[in-house]
Amino acid sequence: AQRVTQPEKLLSVFKGAPVELKCNYSYSGSPELFWYVQYSRQRLQLLLRHISRESIKGFTADLNKGETSFHLKKPFAQEEDSAMYYCALSRLTDSWGKLQFGAGTQVVVTP
Amino acid sequence: DGGITQSPKYLFRKEGQNVTLSCEQNLNHDAMYWYRQDPGQGLRLIYYSQIVNDFQKGDIAEGYSVSREKKESFPLTVTSAQKNPTAFYLCASGLTGELFFGEGSRLTVL
């Protein structure tokens, strides 16, 4: 069965510092990977997905199949990046909305 | 206001009672999903439906039931058979590549 691991429950960084949220997965097939974000008092929403290869709000994530990782990075954290971040995996052979979520990482950016 | 509407936001239930959580969407999406969110565990899939009149069990379907009689609606019933129903429930719908979530319903069993 597939599994998504986010090893950090809480990540505290200073404004302007780089931030990296780790995500590792276990799945023998070809996965589709996503990062979802939940800002305070807002709905959970898609941040980015690996298949798009885009940068959203300065965040990027590269799928490393060798290391089975999909870490989320931003070179200069902003206070508005404070939120809960979830890494999620979908099997390409399945309903794509059947997501396997990690436990989430709370990011706190302090001025 | 478009999107996913869940109701009620807060619900209290006595043990032994069934409760139904409502989920409505006006995004014209075929697929709809129910997830359960517990602290420290992320989200886990309860049920999903890819088309009207069809639905499938997710990873933790025991003690739950759903129906999909209309494209816009996907209600979730938490039955008395669910051993630990106190949780935050999220409904979602989507197209390929993106899920749109509701604001959630918090169920507390007294």
Side-chain angles (χ1 to χ4, degrees):
Chain A
Q2 64 272 26
R3 188 179 183 90
V4 177
T5 302
Q6 293 180 251
E8 305 124 337
K9 287 186 178 179
L10 174 65
L11 208 53
S12 185
V13 298
F14 287 107
K15 178 181 173 181
V19 60
E20 181 179 33
L21 288 74
K22 290 187 173 17
C23 173
N24 289 90
Y25 67 91
S26 61
Y27 177 53
S28 56
S30 293
E32 185 162 1
L33 285 144
F34 306 83
W35 277 100
Y36 277 81
V37 61
Q38 189 165 25
Y39 302 103
S40 179
R41 288 185 288 276
Q42 292 188 30
R43 303 176 186 216
L44 190 61
Q45 58 187 284
L46 178 67
L47 179 62
L48 56 79
R49 48 182 165 159
H50 90 271
I51 202 167
S52 304
R53 295 187 159 275
E54 13 177 40
S55 172
I56 305 292
K57 299 185 178 182
F59 284 98
T60 59
D62 290 318
L63 176 60
N64 186 324
K65 291 188 177 181
E67 295 183 356
T68 59
S69 68
F70 188 56
H71 303 328
L72 183 69
K73 301 175 186 178
K74 185 170 182 176
F76 307 103
Q78 303 299 315
E79 289 180 68
E80 55 265 30
D81 296 328
S82 295
M84 189 72 168
Y85 292 81
Y86 293 96
C87 182
L89 176 152
S90 174
R91 301 181 301 187
L92 289 177
T93 56
D94 215 335
S95 169
W96 63 267
K98 285 180 63 180
L99 298 177
Q100 188 76 33
F101 282 86
T105 298
Q106 181 74 48
V107 171
V108 177
V109 181
T110 52
Chain B
D1 185 24
I4 309 282
T5 301
Q6 290 187 241
S7 63
K9 287 189 177 179
Y10 300 95
L11 187 61
F12 297 89
R13 182 193 101 175
K14 293 182 181 179
E15 284 195 27
Q17 289 181 333
N18 293 355
V19 292
T20 297
L21 308 180
S22 169
C23 177
E24 303 279 329
Q25 56 107 352
N26 61 5
L27 300 169
N28 201 34
H29 291 157
D30 286 317
M32 296 187 73
Y33 305 82
W34 274 105
Y35 284 89
R36 170 178 169 145
Q37 189 175 27
D38 294 284
Q41 292 196 49
L43 283 74
R44 292 179 291 169
L45 183 64
I46 305 172
Y47 266 99
Y48 67 103
S49 168
Q50 293 183 273
I51 199 166
V52 174
N53 292 322
D54 184 60
F55 50 83
Q56 307 294 330
K57 292 182 179 180
D59 299 319
I60 55 166
E62 186 176 349
Y64 299 98
S65 66
V66 294
S67 62
R68 188 83 188 280
E69 297 176 2
K70 298 187 299 182
K71 187 175 186 176
E72 303 80 16
S73 178
F74 191 40
L76 173 74
T77 297
V78 185
T79 75
S80 56
Q82 168 51 232
K83 296 284 187 284
N84 185 21
T86 294
F88 190 61
Y89 292 88
L90 282 169
C91 179
S93 72
L95 299 169
T96 302
E98 182 171 4
L99 283 181
F100 296 84
F101 284 88
E103 292 183 310
S105 294
R106 186 168 298 280
L107 172 63
T108 303
V109 174
L110 303 173

